[in-house]
Amino acid sequence: MNNFLVYPLLIPLFTAVLLIFFKERIAVQRGISAISALLNLAVACFLVYQVSSDGIQTLHMGGWIPPYGIVFTADMFAALLVLITAVVAAGCLFYAFGSIGEERERNYFYPFFYFLLAGVTGSFLTGDLFNLFVCFEVMLIASYALIVLGGTKRQLRETLKYILINIISSTLFVASVAYLYAAVGTLNMAHLSVRVAEVGQGGILTVIAILFLIVFSLKAGLFLFFWLPGSYSAPPAAVTALFGALLTKVGLYAIIRTFTLIFYHEPSATHTWISWMAAATMILGGFGAVAYNDIRRILNYNVVVSVGFIAFGLAAATRDSLDGVVFYLMHDMIAKALMYFLGGMVIAAAGTHRLQEMGGMIKRHPWMGWMFFVMALSLVGVPPLSGFIGKVLIVRGGLDAQMYLLASLGLASSLIVLYSMMKVFMQAFWGEEKLNPERPSVNLRGMAGAATGMFILMILLGLGSEWVYSFVSQAGNGLFRPELYIEAVLKGVG
Amino acid sequence: MELFMAVTIGVLFAVGVYLMLSKSLLRIILGTSLLTHGVHLLLLTMSRLKTGAPPLLGEQADRYTDPLPHALILTSIVISFGVTSFFFVLAYKAYQKLGTDNMEELKGEDHE
């Protein structure tokens, strides 16, 4: 029992409610949200520290013993993701200060931002399947508002599709919860895991598992990512960074949680599905990243590729690859946020999102250009940078599990990522200046500050990977041995 | 009884999916709400439709119906109500601004 566990959820929720009352006072809104972001960061750090020193933390809501009440559980995996979420959120917030514009700020941008954050942290910390659904909805409804806020034609059009897809997947989520409840009669994740182990994961449970896989894949953009490239190119960069770094990762988290904790008994069925979907995601995402000349599309397809790569790590399910999944997920959340920050800056500086109309920006924006270059190398996984360790661990795990085809696909996808990012870099930053010299220069200082902060963090994550690895290894161990989680949640309960 | 409910839910799902695959936006929204009706009934059915008193302790009955699905459905109903109303307003706004409710015309990049 540890009441501290609920603060990462409560702080954003409370902030969001508070911010509603300051609609017209932008300075106040900014002040409150900045303080809250830093507070959230501190709380998340402390949570990681607690989990690392005292093991898995649980909180029984209202004093009801699980499986009867809702339980909040923070194992190392969830705690790390909460921490990275707090980091990304702080980055996005400061980036939004410099880029989002008064019109949006006046129309409840920050409350929506914090409601989204509350949904995301709630999803990471909850130990109950239906509560996960509710947190998903909190997150999604805030994201509907954020994606359409501003109301341009493109946003309206893409939001229609985005909402439709998410309504369908949420409906399927409820349906799968209903089936699972009928099959085993509980909704607490730890208790579910015990029950599934007791009755044996037969045909019905495997079908339910696949249904969950479909639901979460729709959210995560794993193979079922057809909605993602369009939707993510509609909102402004601060919002897309938030989406690309957090929303798909919540879906991935749900996949990883369900298939390491609950449905791990029949890997020949479920994990084979995951591996095929991962392969298809990497291939199709790679095609998309190569095909377009629109910066936003290229970045969006890069998100898809990395989702496929993480799913490959899950499908291999060895100790190494699960460590790799945790590490790569952390790296990817930070790097993808940074990628959208820089992409947004490039678009703002050039005034267009078409690559053909850009060129020679390195002269005016050298700092931005080299940050972009290093970020691209980090996404690919060049050794001293943060993408490397995760990739090595996942590929090694894949080779141990004898998934040679997938491992080579994973490596090939790195090359594709490299190619697509270098295409952006060379076309936008090298060559002759194509921009209209009379165009008034845009003030990028606010955005550059947030991007630099995120950039430094990404470098530190790579250089300090030895230190980070001790946490990652604890998280990977928790994923590899679900009995630890179950014991922590159900201890002392008949 | 479960069989009858299962068939009904199947029909609701089928009609919902059919409507969602149509071109008109309003039909799509109707399709989503039929789908959510189907899934709420599914939640109810899946907890077995045995006879028993409503889950109120004042009833002093020997057997009660399962209270958990009712709570889940109630939660899910308000969520989908919120989302549907947002969807309707969005459709209205989109119609005002884009001038069409035909999903076929909302494709591609030429709508800027």
Side-chain angles (χ1 to χ4, degrees), chain A residues 275-476:
Chain A
S275 62
W276 282 112
M277 285 166 88
T281 313
M282 284 191 277
I283 294 172
L284 296 174
F287 281 151
V290 172
Y292 285 94
N293 275 317
D294 176 344
I295 287 198
R296 296 178 302 193
R297 297 252 164 192
I298 295 176
L299 303 189
N300 293 344
Y301 277 103
N302 270 302
V303 171
V304 172
V305 174
S306 70
V307 166
F309 192 72
I310 296 172
F312 158 48
L314 173 66
T318 62
R319 186 60 225 283
D320 273 346
S321 75
L322 288 176
D323 281 358
V325 163
V326 178
F327 200 99
Y328 198 76
L329 203 53
M330 288 169 66
H331 145 79
D332 199 52
M333 285 165 82
I334 290 185
K336 286 294 178 319
L338 179 61
M339 180 181 85
Y340 279 111
F341 287 175
L342 293 172
M345 283 162 69
V346 170
I347 293 172
T352 172
H353 47 82
R354 292 193 184 77
L355 270 182
Q356 301 95 317
E357 296 168 17
M358 297 180 190
M361 287 207 288
I362 198 86
K363 280 185 200 127
R364 280 198 203 176
H365 307 284
W367 180 226
M368 181 168 90
W370 294 116
M371 274 208 291
F372 192 94
F373 181 72
V374 176
M375 180 275 298
L377 292 186
S378 175
L379 277 183
V380 178
V382 172
L385 298 165
S386 61
F388 175 65
I389 315 283
K391 262 192 183 160
V392 166
L393 287 170
I394 289 181
V395 168
R396 191 162 78 189
L399 292 178
D400 283 346
Q402 304 195 318
M403 298 170 134
Y404 301 115
L405 181 67
L406 263 167
S408 49
L409 263 178
L411 292 175
S413 79
S414 302
L415 280 181
I416 300 285
V417 167
L418 179 66
Y419 171 74
S420 70
M421 293 313 273
M422 283 305 129
K423 188 169 81 175
V424 175
F425 179 71
M426 288 167 69
Q427 292 226 24
F429 289 99
W430 287 0
E432 285 171 35
E433 287 215 34
K434 285 188 197 163
L435 299 177
N436 186 358
E438 280 153 39
R439 206 171 149 272
S441 67
V442 208
N443 182 13
L444 291 175
R445 199 170 295 161
M447 297 189 243
T452 311
M454 201 58 101
F455 179 74
I456 292 170
L457 265 172
M458 188 189 74
I459 300 288
L460 287 181
L461 183 65
L463 296 180
S465 48
E466 182 104 14
W467 183 71
V468 178
Y469 185 73
S470 60
F471 298 98
V472 168
S473 153
Q474 192 185 345

Side-chain angles (χ1 to χ4, degrees), chain A residues 130 133-134 137 141 144-145 148 150-161 163-164 167-168 171-172 174-179 181-183 186-187 233 294 296-297 353-354, chain B residues 13 20 25 28 32 35-36 39-40 42-43 46-48 66 68-69 71-73 75-76 79 82-84 86-87 90-91 93-94 97-98 103 105-112:
Chain A
F130 198 75
F133 164 72
V134 175
E137 287 304 304
I141 292 172
Y144 303 152
V148 79
T152 61
K153 282 185 174 178
R154 169 189 275 270
Q155 281 178 310
L156 285 168
R157 193 186 67 202
E158 294 301 336
T159 311
L160 286 174
K161 299 169 195 169
I163 291 192
L164 180 61
I167 288 181
I168 294 170
T171 315
L172 285 179
V174 180
S176 9
V177 166
Y179 287 131
Y181 181 68
T186 179
L187 289 176
S233 51
D294 176 344
R296 296 178 302 193
R297 297 252 164 192
H353 47 82
R354 292 193 184 77
Chain B
F13 262 74
M20 277 193 292
L25 189 52
I28 291 174
T32 60
L35 204 68
T36 41
V39 95
H40 295 153
L42 178 75
L43 209 45
M46 277 293 146
S47 67
R48 311 287 192 279
D66 187 353
L68 186 70
L72 302 187
I73 292 170
T75 314
S76 179
I79 289 176
V83 174
T84 309
F86 186 78
F87 203 178
L90 182 74
K93 266 285 169 204
K97 204 147 189 182
L98 301 169
M103 290 305 271
E105 291 174 16
L106 293 180
K107 287 194 290 197
E109 303 281 318
D110 49 325
H111 231 281
E112 311 281 281

Side-chain angles (χ1 to χ4, degrees), chain A residues 73-107:
Chain A
T73 317
D75 60 348
M76 198 44 155
F77 183 43
L80 283 177
L81 290 182
V82 167
L83 175 62
I84 300 289
T85 304
V87 169
V88 168
C92 288
L93 189 73
F94 287 108
Y95 188 81
F97 288 165
S99 69
I100 202 77
E102 283 204 7
E103 190 65 30
R104 284 197 172 86
E105 285 179 308
R106 200 164 279 140
N107 285 297

